């Protein structure tokens, strides 16, 4: 059985080919224009920010020289003794590292609870009052706009040095960051359960509890774990402003030119962050996968 392929009239085919060629040329022109705009903005931003590539190239050897200075003298013949001398302060550093992780945990916990309570008020599909949504969203914006280090500096002046300062700073910033993410998850839920409960006379709290939370809980947990990873790194910097943790010891080593201590603490922080990242990543994927199969 033969199939006859219909062909267009020559005039119609020519018109369509011309239109297609014009559309392709216009798309290429738009792509080129966007590329040119990006390059111009890139060059303009570099000029205004005083980015000097030649200065970077001329001074890159200072960075590599510092890296070479902080590396310890390890030898295969005496490797165990060299490693022991390199990590002479391991018990103290592990204690400070545990303090840093606890700061990140408490900051994530307190900030996550606050974000959980505020995200529903900032969601347009649950709250019809523009005034309530405006206040909730602006409060979350203030919390996440100010960096953690700035909050920590303010709290150091108010409460003095110590890990509590880092916990408060991380908690406030986490509230703003997670509140934004949580509210976006809430705004993408299926509204049919919400409409069903509202139609039976359920109040706001009951609607959130039975119609919203079951849909968003796994995503909330995933975002909270991701934020915990970020806060572990942020808590390491908190010590630079006197908020305790391993960052304070790291700053002391840098200021006093304890080169081997700098590399030892830095490697310890990197290994800890990598381990936490891998663990929380698997847990996040497990939670999201379980939601997909529910």
């Amino acid at each position: 059985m033969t199939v006859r392929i219909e062909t267009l009239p020559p005039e119609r085919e020519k018109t369509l080919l011309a239109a297609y060629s014009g559309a392709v040329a216009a798309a290429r022109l738009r792509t080129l224009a966007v590329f040119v705009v990006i390059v111009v903005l890139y060059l303009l931003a570099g000029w205004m920010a005083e980015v000097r590539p030649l200065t970077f190239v001329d001074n890159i050897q200072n960075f590599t020289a510092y890296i070479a200075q902080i590396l310890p003298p390890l030898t295969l013949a005496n490797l165990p003794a060299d490693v022991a001398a390199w990590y002479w302060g391991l018990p103290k550093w592990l204690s400070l590292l545990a303090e840093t992780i606890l700061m990140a945990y408490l900051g994530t916990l307190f900030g996550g609870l606050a974000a959980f309570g505020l995200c529903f008020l900032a969601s347009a599909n649950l709250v019809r009052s523009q005034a309530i949504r405006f206040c909730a969203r602006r409060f979350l914006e203030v919390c996440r706009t100010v960096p953690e280090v700035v909050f920590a500096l303010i709290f150091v002046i108010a409460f003095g040095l110590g890990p509590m300062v880092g916990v408060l700073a991380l908690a406030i910033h986490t509230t703003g960051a997670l509140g934004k993410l949580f509210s976006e998850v809430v705004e993408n839920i299926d509204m049919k359960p919400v409409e069903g409960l509202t139609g039976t006379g359920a109040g706001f709290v009951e609607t959130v509890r039975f119609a919203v939370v079951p849909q968003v809980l796994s995503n909330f947990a995933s975002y909270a774990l991701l934020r915990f990873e970020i806060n572990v790194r942020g808590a390491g910097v908190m010590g630079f402003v006197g908020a305790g943790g391993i960052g304070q010891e790291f700053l002391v080593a840098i200021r006093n030119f304890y080169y081997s201590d700098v590399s030892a603490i830095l490697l310890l922080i990197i290994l800890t962050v990598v381990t936490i990242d891998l663990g929380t990543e698997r847990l996040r994927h497990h939670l999201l996968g379980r939601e997909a199969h529910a």
Side-chain angles (χ1 to χ4, degrees), residues 67-81:
I67 295 298
Q69 284 180 318
I70 66 176
L71 294 177
L74 301 178
T75 58
L76 290 177
N78 199 28
L79 186 60

Side-chain angles (χ1 to χ4, degrees), residues 115-128:
F116 182 85
L118 291 170
C119 70
F120 304 109
L121 300 178
S123 302
N125 56 341
L126 296 182
V127 177
R128 302 303 178 187

Side-chain angles (χ1 to χ4, degrees), residues 34 43 56 93 99 101 154 191 209 218 252 258 264 276 294:
V34 170
L43 296 175
F56 175 80
W93 296 338
E99 184 178 274
I101 295 175
I154 296 173
M191 290 298 293
R209 166 64 181 86
S218 59
V252 170
Y258 299 152
I276 292 175

Side-chain angles (χ1 to χ4, degrees), residues 225-247:
L225 289 171
L226 177 61
R227 189 65 202 183
F228 175 64
E229 301 173 17
I230 298 172
N231 283 347
V232 170
R233 293 187 285 269
V237 181
M238 291 292 103
F240 282 36
V241 295
I246 193 67

Side-chain angles (χ1 to χ4, degrees), residues 197-241:
L197 280 176
T198 303
T200 60
F204 180 79
V205 176
E206 290 82 5
T207 302
V208 169
R209 166 64 181 86
F210 295 104
V212 180
V213 171
Q215 298 187 60
V216 301
L217 196 57
S218 59
N219 279 304
F220 279 15
S222 176
Y223 279 130
L225 289 171
L226 177 61
R227 189 65 202 183
F228 175 64
E229 301 173 17
I230 298 172
N231 283 347
V232 170
R233 293 187 285 269
V237 181
M238 291 292 103
F240 282 36
V241 295

Side-chain angles (χ1 to χ4, degrees), residues 163-186:
M164 184 186 73
V165 170
V167 173
L168 292 174
L170 291 172
I172 292 177
H173 198 273
T174 298
T175 299
L178 285 183
K180 171 67 172 178
L181 296 174
F182 286 178
S183 64
E184 291 180 349
V185 173
V186 172

